[in-house]
Amino acid sequence: MEHITVIGAGTMGRGIAYTAAVSGFKVVVQDISKEAVQQAKIYVEEQLQKRMSRDVITAEEAAAARNHLTYTTALEEAVTHADLVIEAVLEHMELKTKLFKELDKLTAAHTILATNTSTMSPTEIAAQTNRPERTVAMHFFNPVPNMKLIEVIRGLETSIETVKQVVEVGERMNKECVQVEEFPGFAVSRMNCVIGNEAMNMVLEGVSTVEGIDKAMKLGLNHPMGPLELADLVGLDTRLRNMEYLYQSLGEKYRPSPLLVKYVKAGRLGRKTGQGFYHYE
């Protein structure tokens, strides 16, 4: 497993690509948007400069990572030599299944297809391919270079060998892999969405301020970020899509907070738009 292709150059995709490149993998980053590809290049360079300034990596290691990375908008070109393709597109099942049908046709028979979905069924995604045994979910966490966890979710027909191979890839990226049985939301998202949604309802009910609720969670439960800070980081539109999927799959306790719905309608999506529960310069 030496060649990794990352499909989608957004926040998660570029974080995965950077992490794979500094771990010694040869990485192709693909996105249909030229702007997203350019932003991924900028992000990678910023990360390399930051880590060199902190003596986390050497100039030679940074140069090697740059040489490991290729950027393109052409899907077929991106996956030609891939041993592993990691999809990191929007959390829309229709979009993912359409992409996996195409990837199945374009990639070599040995290629493993992985989805970075935080909530959706790898079994359903794998069913769109002729290689369900080589299709799996690898759920990375934001920001990818800093977060140690990868949830590895085996679909109904995912082989033990495929799971073993993607765990080895994760470990080479210096991540801890936890194997989770497939169920909507897996482990982390299922718990985190409930916490974040309840925090939003508490703001709506006037239990405390946004800052107060986040501070209480950080100091009272030792969370590194408050649930509202985290929602802003993830993106409120992404969180709403996750909540809607979990509500549909698991029922009433996952009904999206009216405040979340209102913020997304207003275009207050968190850090990426400069305003969510907090204001960002």
Side-chain angles (χ1 to χ4, degrees), residues 8 30 32 119 129 135 203 210 255 258:
Q30 187 276 339
I32 59 173
T119 56
T129 76
T135 304
V203 173
V210 168
R255 181 189 290 273

Side-chain angles (χ1 to χ4, degrees), residues 262-275:
K262 184 184 293 186
Y263 276 23
V264 172
K265 286 181 177 178
R268 293 177 56 165
L269 307 183
R271 286 183 177 270
K272 58 184 163 186
T273 60
Q275 190 168 10

Side-chain angles (χ1 to χ4, degrees), residues 192-227:
N192 185 48
C193 282
V194 169
I195 294 169
N197 208 52
E198 188 62 20
M200 295 171 198
N201 283 333
M202 290 166 66
V203 173
L204 193 61
E205 294 161 3
V207 173
S208 185
T209 63
V210 168
E211 294 81 2
I213 290 168
D214 275 346
K215 186 175 182 179
M217 291 296 286
K218 287 187 285 188
L219 299 182
L221 294 181
N222 205 29
H223 288 197
M225 293 183 72

Side-chain angles (χ1 to χ4, degrees), residues 161-221:
E161 179 59 27
T162 294
V163 171
K164 178 184 175 184
Q165 286 181 285
V166 298
V167 167
E168 288 173 354
V169 168
E171 291 173 346
R172 184 168 161 186
M173 292 183 186
N174 198 31
K175 305 297 185 186
E176 296 282 344
C177 294
V178 173
Q179 295 184 44
V180 178
E181 292 300 316
E182 181 181 334
F183 207 82
F186 313 139
V188 175
S189 293
R190 185 172 173 179
M191 292 185 286
N192 185 48
C193 282
V194 169
I195 294 169
N197 208 52
E198 188 62 20
M200 295 171 198
N201 283 333
M202 290 166 66
V203 173
L204 193 61
E205 294 161 3
V207 173
S208 185
T209 63
V210 168
E211 294 81 2
I213 290 168
D214 275 346
K215 186 175 182 179
M217 291 296 286
K218 287 187 285 188
L219 299 182
L221 294 181

Side-chain angles (χ1 to χ4, degrees), residues 24-50:
F25 293 98
K26 295 176 182 177
V27 182
V28 180
V29 184
Q30 187 276 339
D31 199 290
I32 59 173
S33 165
K34 291 182 180 180
E35 182 181 355
V37 170
Q38 185 59 35
Q39 287 301 313
K41 290 181 183 180
I42 293 170
Y43 169 85
V44 167
E45 189 56 38
E46 288 174 346
Q47 293 298 312
L48 292 173
Q49 293 295 334
K50 185 185 299 182

Side-chain angles (χ1 to χ4, degrees), residues 34 81 100 125 149 223:
K34 291 182 180 180
H81 302 293
F100 271 71
I125 293 169
L149 177 64
H223 288 197

